[in-house]
Amino acid sequence: MNRRDFLLSVGLGYLALPYAVLAEEPGLNQRAQSRGLSFGYAINSFQLVDKIFAEAVIRDAGIIVAENEMKWRETQKKDGPPNYATADRIVNFARQHQMGVRGHTIIWHRKPPAWAEAALSGPDGKKLLLDYTHNIVSHFRGQIKEWDVVNEAVDLGSRTPNGLRNWGPYLENGYDFIADCFRAAHEADPDAMLFYNDFGIEYKRQSAKRDAVLKLLTRLKNQDVPIHCLGIQSHLIAGTDFDERLFRNFLKEVADMGIKIRLTELEVDDKNLDADIALRDAGVADTARQYLNVAFDEPAVIGLLTWGVSDRTMRNVALWQTRADRLAPRRLPLDENFQKKPLWHAIAECFDNARSR
Ligand code: G3I
């Protein structure tokens, strides 16, 4: 019998762990779970072949979400049977490591595949979307514990009476279409937690959008629609007008409807911060700390995911290049070498200080 098996046989298996693991402080999800919360990362299946990436996800995440691989344009590029192969890889990784999976996202104005765009504004548009909803939720039934059923349906710039986005299915059917999407998802998997997910509702100047989101949620709840959770994307900007009292009150208004809340896509834009890395990292961490301390104080908040793992994944991606000096963004918990940044420690600290659920 080797040393490891002997130690395991006498209940001292932990001594068999490699030193690096023994020395590792608890990961973020362990910290979260001690308060009845959860933590996770947005990932892509191709990133999992990178050992250091996978190890960071295994250390920190209790739930993962596909950054892109479960979006309609990725799963059904052509008019034909959907291809869930890459999405299945994420689900299989999660199962292998006892993690949950978030499904992101079913109905989103930005992601119908080109072949479906034309059909959507036709007489069969609504049926096409509801069939897609039923098919993808059915495919992952029992494997995905929560779905962003509808993403970013509120858009004040569309200047519609109810604040819904100027997108065919929302215009013809308004709230009723959104209600039908949730009903279709619930019918496909009655055990899945169903989310409305949106951005631009975190800051003081965004009160009008918060009100439009509350109006949508109220309408759905009053119609007994199976909506269980609000996803607040939490794409924060360091140095912006965050009003703790306003945000706290918003969270409570959502909670008072019997709707849970998850922070679904946290990352912190450092465009307003100094070029110096230490100052930028500190500013990003302080921004997240102030936000998370308010959020985690609301009992209806169930957890947090960040929209990526390491700054390496945002390098050279135009979407995240917001700094005037063109320096690489430092928005995520781990740096480009997967080392913990002040943001990682700020998230850990906010979990440690959170009220227990
Ligand atoms: O897969 C194609 C590839 O085949 C092609 O060669 C390449 C060049 O055109 O594009 C690739 O698709 C890109 C995809 O990311 C995968 O990398 C799309 O063009 C690009 O638009 C897409 O961007 C994603 C964006 O959502 C739109 O889907 C971002 O990575 C992703 O971080 C972002 O995430 C969104 C959430 O889903 C919703 N909340 C906001 C958040 C940030 O915008």
Side-chain angles (χ1 to χ4, degrees):
M1 182 185 290
N2 64 32
R3 174 180 178 275
R4 180 180 182 282
D5 291 344
F6 169 73
L7 289 169
L8 285 169
S9 68
V10 295
L12 296 174
Y14 66 91
L15 291 178
L17 290 171
Y19 177 73
V21 175
L22 278 178
E24 184 71 78
E25 60 185 321
L28 292 175
N29 188 58
Q30 281 174 273
R31 318 282 273 254
Q33 281 190 312
S34 70
R35 292 294 185 275
L37 292 157
S38 60
F39 175 81
Y41 285 128
I43 68 167
N44 297 273
S45 63
F46 61 83
Q47 293 166 323
L48 294 172
V49 298
D50 177 345
K51 187 169 178 292
I52 193 170
F53 181 97
E55 284 177 346
V57 175
I58 293 164
R59 178 195 65 210
D60 285 337
I63 185 167
I64 54 178
V65 64
E67 181 178 5
N68 290 300
E69 288 160 314
M70 287 190 192
K71 294 172 182 174
W72 196 4
R73 189 172 294 185
E74 305 299 330
T75 62
Q76 207 170 7
K77 294 181 192 288
K78 296 186 175 54
D79 185 0
N83 178 353
Y84 299 122
T86 54
D88 285 337
R89 268 185 234 129
I90 289 179
V91 170
N92 295 337
F93 176 84
R95 185 186 308 112
Q96 185 186 352
H97 298 286
Q98 298 80 47
M99 297 171 183
V101 182
R102 300 203 72 242
H104 175 82
T105 180
I106 305 174
I107 305 293
W108 189 22
H109 65 284
R110 285 182 56 186
K111 295 317 276 187
W115 64 267
E117 282 289 1
L120 285 185
S121 47
D124 296 335
K126 177 177 169 182
K127 181 180 182 310
L128 184 60
L129 282 167
L130 296 182
D131 287 350
Y132 179 73
T133 300
H134 193 274
N135 294 340
I136 190 166
V137 177
S138 301
H139 175 81
F140 290 106
R141 180 169 178 163
Q143 302 176 85
I144 288 186
K145 51 197 300 186
E146 54 187 73
W147 276 103
D148 287 339
V149 177
V150 174
N151 189 47
E152 304 176 8
V154 171
D155 174 47
L156 301 187
S158 293
R159 300 194 186 290
T160 55
N162 50 24
L164 292 185
R165 184 174 299 278
N166 178 9
W167 183 49
Y170 297 149
L171 294 182
E172 285 123 44
N173 306 282
Y175 291 137
D176 294 342
F177 166 67
I178 292 173
D180 290 344
C181 292
F182 278 92
R183 292 187 183 109
H186 184 66
E187 184 188 317
D189 185 351
D191 298 326
M193 182 183 261
L194 304 182
F195 282 60
Y196 173 71
N197 192 50
D198 213 335
F199 72 100
I201 49 181
E202 299 86 356
Y203 287 111
K204 182 177 179 181
R205 67 180 186 282
Q206 298 165 330
S207 292
K209 183 164 182 179
R210 279 194 292 276
D211 292 345
V213 168
L214 288 170
K215 189 175 163 190
L216 169 61
L217 297 178
T218 303
R219 175 71 179 259
L220 296 174
K221 288 300 279 185
N222 289 344
Q223 292 177 322
D224 292 325
V225 169
I227 177 168
H228 310 113
C229 199
L230 170 66
I232 301 179
Q233 292 183 13
S234 310
H235 293 284
L236 305 183
I237 305 174
T240 302
D241 60 343
F242 179 67
D243 182 308
E244 292 188 19
R245 183 185 60 77
L246 278 178
F247 191 62
R248 189 184 299 276
N249 291 347
F250 171 63
L251 298 181
K252 187 172 184 320
E253 285 191 75
V254 174
D256 288 348
M257 292 186 212
I259 295 176
K260 297 287 186 187
I261 298 156
R262 184 189 283 287
L263 311 179
T264 51
E265 307 180 11
L266 182 100
E267 45 81 29
V268 184
D269 188 338
D270 60 2
K271 64 183 176 184
N272 298 324
L273 299 178
D274 194 286
D276 174 83
I277 284 180
L279 291 176
R280 257 202 280 166
D281 287 356
V284 162
D286 291 345
T287 301
R289 184 182 292 107
Q290 181 189 28
Y291 179 79
L292 295 177
N293 279 333
V294 173
F296 290 166
D297 202 33
E298 168 48 61
V301 171
I302 62 173
L304 160 71
L305 289 92
T306 58
W307 202 241
V309 180
S310 148
D311 294 333
R312 181 183 300 180
T313 58
M314 285 188 167
R315 269 184 326 198
N316 310 321
V317 177
L319 176 63
W320 311 111
Q321 305 301 329
T322 55
R323 290 183 61 88
D325 58 17
R326 311 303 296 161
L327 289 175
R330 297 181 64 87
R331 299 175 175 226
L332 291 170
L334 304 183
D335 71 13
E336 59 280 1
N337 298 312
F338 289 87
Q339 298 307 302
K340 296 170 185 172
K341 292 162 60 188
L343 174 57
W344 189 100
H345 294 290
I347 293 172
E349 174 196 317
C350 290
F351 281 134
D352 293 346
N353 297 334
R355 65 164 73 207
S356 284
R357 266 73 179 148

